[in-house]
Amino acid sequence: MNTDPPHEIPQDPTASGRASDPTPDPVSDAALFASADGRTSLRMERRLAHPPEKVWAALTDPVALARWFPSEVAVDLVPGGAMGFRFPGDAAPGMTGTVTDVDKPRLFAFTWGRDHLSWTITPDGEGSLLTLVHTFGDRPGAASFASGWHLCITALDRLLGGGPVETAHDRSGELHESYVKRFGLDGGTAERTEGGSRIRFERQLVRPAETVWAVLSAGIEPVAGLPVPEGFTAEKVPAGPVAEVRAPNSLTYTWQPRGTVTWELGKGTGHGARLVLVQTGPEDFDTDAALAAWRTRIDRLAEELVRT
């Protein structure tokens, strides 16, 4: 699915339930860009009404971290120092990391599994500008990371202000979907193959595979050799019989003698499945029309899942 997935981080940054409702306190800026090593970096900024020294303490003190970070953290706060991350339910640290930068009260950076997190604090009047750069290999998972950190940083702000840090996350998925659109993660790709063409979409969804499958099938379970249920089709894309089905994870059907459509629902980031949709066809296959049709269909599915 991805060349460098964050296997050690199976859930989004709010999976522990430590972060709070983001609605009143939006992150001021967020963007994706390519990192120097060819991976993806997420940059998020938040203005905090607290001096750098206070923010630094909340970023580095294990007791404070446990209030807003996705896990409990043990850290030897020196460059090269060891870190351990214990998620709720784990008897011992389930992940390890290494401190890469310490410059009190300006910069704290470390590895988190195969990912890298860099927290920079810049004086901003009587407060601070907090900048997070999270570098990872799983670009389609960026919306999960962004929505998760959005919640965590909101919880950090509330902790600094002495307010309650509630135990909630992006339950509806609306915040996640807003980042999908913001980062342009809803598009597909087209390429020529040997003797034909192919389009491909990869999108992180906000519900598990069983729920997605139920929405797609709408009570009509697919059967090999029979017409594919309408939910697995897109407007203006011909649909033929089901060729292979492994509910709730994959379905392939033919749309013409030399073309197939395949839905795959695998493990993703956050609490949802990762959708990979592939349509193959001959060399004269109209990939532009297919990309538009499937983008509309997948967007509609994502909207349905938010309401589910």
Side-chain angles (χ1 to χ4, degrees), residues 32-271:
L32 292 183
F33 58 93
S35 63
D37 61 3
R39 298 193 295 168
T40 296
S41 290
L42 165 68
R43 179 186 177 93
M44 305 187 80
E45 293 184 347
R46 176 69 171 266
R47 298 186 183 279
L48 303 170
H50 308 282
E53 292 77 10
K54 187 174 182 179
V55 178
W56 174 266
L59 288 175
T60 58
D61 175 46
V63 175
L65 277 167
R67 299 285 306 282
W68 67 270
F69 198 76
S71 68
E72 295 181 4
V73 180
V75 55
D76 180 12
L77 198 60
V78 295
M83 298 187 71
F85 305 89
R86 187 173 72 85
F87 292 90
D90 293 345
M95 286 174 48
T96 59
T98 303
V99 177
T100 59
D101 299 273
V102 179
D103 183 5
K104 180 182 180 179
R106 187 187 68 86
L107 173 65
F108 178 39
F110 52 88
T111 60
W112 191 30
R114 282 190 271 177
D115 294 7
H116 185 262
L117 302 180
S118 173
W119 301 88
T120 302
I121 309 168
T122 305
D124 182 35
E126 295 183 358
S128 305
L129 176 65
L130 177 65
T131 302
L132 164 66
V133 177
H134 178 184
T135 301
F136 49 88
D138 180 23
R139 182 179 176 85
S144 292
F145 295 131
S147 58
W149 288 124
H150 185 133
L151 290 161
C152 286
I153 294 170
T154 294
L156 167 63
D157 194 10
R158 293 184 180 179
L159 175 67
L160 290 169
V165 180
E166 302 170 1
T167 55
H169 61 272
D170 182 26
R171 299 187 188 280
S172 72
E174 290 184 30
L175 182 60
H176 177 278
E177 289 303 305
S178 73
Y179 279 113
V180 168
K181 298 296 185 181
R182 183 170 187 167
F183 297 151
L185 299 173
D186 52 348
T189 59
E191 63 177 354
R192 295 293 182 185
T193 61
E194 185 176 352
S197 298
R198 180 179 77 161
I199 66 164
R200 183 180 186 275
F201 285 81
E202 182 171 352
R203 182 156 169 175
Q204 178 62 39
L205 303 176
V206 298
R207 299 290 181 262
E210 293 79 5
T211 302
V212 180
W213 190 269
V215 171
L216 290 170
S217 61
I220 303 174
E221 284 303 315
V223 177
L226 295 183
V228 63
E230 183 179 354
F232 291 92
T233 68
E235 187 178 359
K236 298 182 180 180
V237 177
V242 174
E244 183 180 1
V245 58
R246 295 194 302 273
N249 297 115
S250 68
L251 178 144
T252 298
Y253 65 89
T254 59
W255 67 277
Q256 62 119 280
R258 296 176 55 198
T260 61
V261 172
T262 298
W263 291 75
E264 291 186 357
L265 297 169
K267 184 177 180 181
T269 53
H271 303 279

